[in-house]
Amino acid sequence: MIFLRLADIAWVAAVNQGVELHIGQRTCLLRVTLAAVAAKLPPDRFLRLNGSTLVNVAHIRELHPASQGGYDMVLRNGTRLSRHADLKPDPESKIALRKPKLSRWDE
């Protein structure tokens, strides 16, 4: 048994055997479905990128438009993830992707 802080989980990926939690340089395998993990994660802190990936929004460093639509995401640890243009926003998600504030003066 290991104890993790939600803030330490950068992203979660579905794999054949279950899901992988990516925590820094470490990966932990859980033998559960991605849907079961997503149901336990706070929807205002984790964003579904595609059918097999969730990302902690606090770990997102950059967003870049992708050539085929959607965008590429760079995490604080340098990991690159992609969100497809055809993926509709999750109506249950409380995260609205918007232009980030560059300073406290941006409104």
Side-chain angles (χ1 to χ4, degrees):
M1 182 181 299
I2 61 171
F3 294 93
L4 301 170
R5 293 181 324 143
L6 283 179
D8 294 338
I9 301 170
W11 59 291
V12 180
V15 294
N16 291 340
Q17 304 87 358
V19 297
E20 291 177 337
L21 301 177
H22 294 267
I23 306 125
Q25 299 299 321
R26 209 168 71 175
T27 301
C28 296
L29 179 65
L30 300 177
R31 295 195 184 277
V32 295
T33 64
L34 185 65
V37 172
K40 293 182 180 183
L41 294 173
D44 60 332
R45 292 174 63 185
F46 285 84
L47 174 69
R48 184 174 216 105
L49 295 186
N50 51 45
S52 63
T53 310
L54 300 168
V55 67
N56 185 338
V57 295
H59 285 261
I60 299 171
R61 184 177 68 198
E62 301 171 6
L63 293 174
H64 301 280
S67 59
Q68 63 273 53
Y71 50 87
D72 294 329
M73 194 174 290
V74 180
L75 303 184
R76 290 186 303 184
N77 66 5
T79 301
R80 290 182 147 307
L81 302 172
S82 295
R83 180 177 173 112
H84 303 289
D86 59 348
L87 182 66
K88 303 290 186 251
D90 184 358
E92 298 294 317
S93 176
K94 296 178 182 162
I95 299 172
L97 293 179
R98 57 191 177 276
K99 179 183 160 193
K101 288 186 177 182
L102 301 176
S103 73
R104 63 185 181 133
W105 306 109
D106 292 341
E107 293 297 329

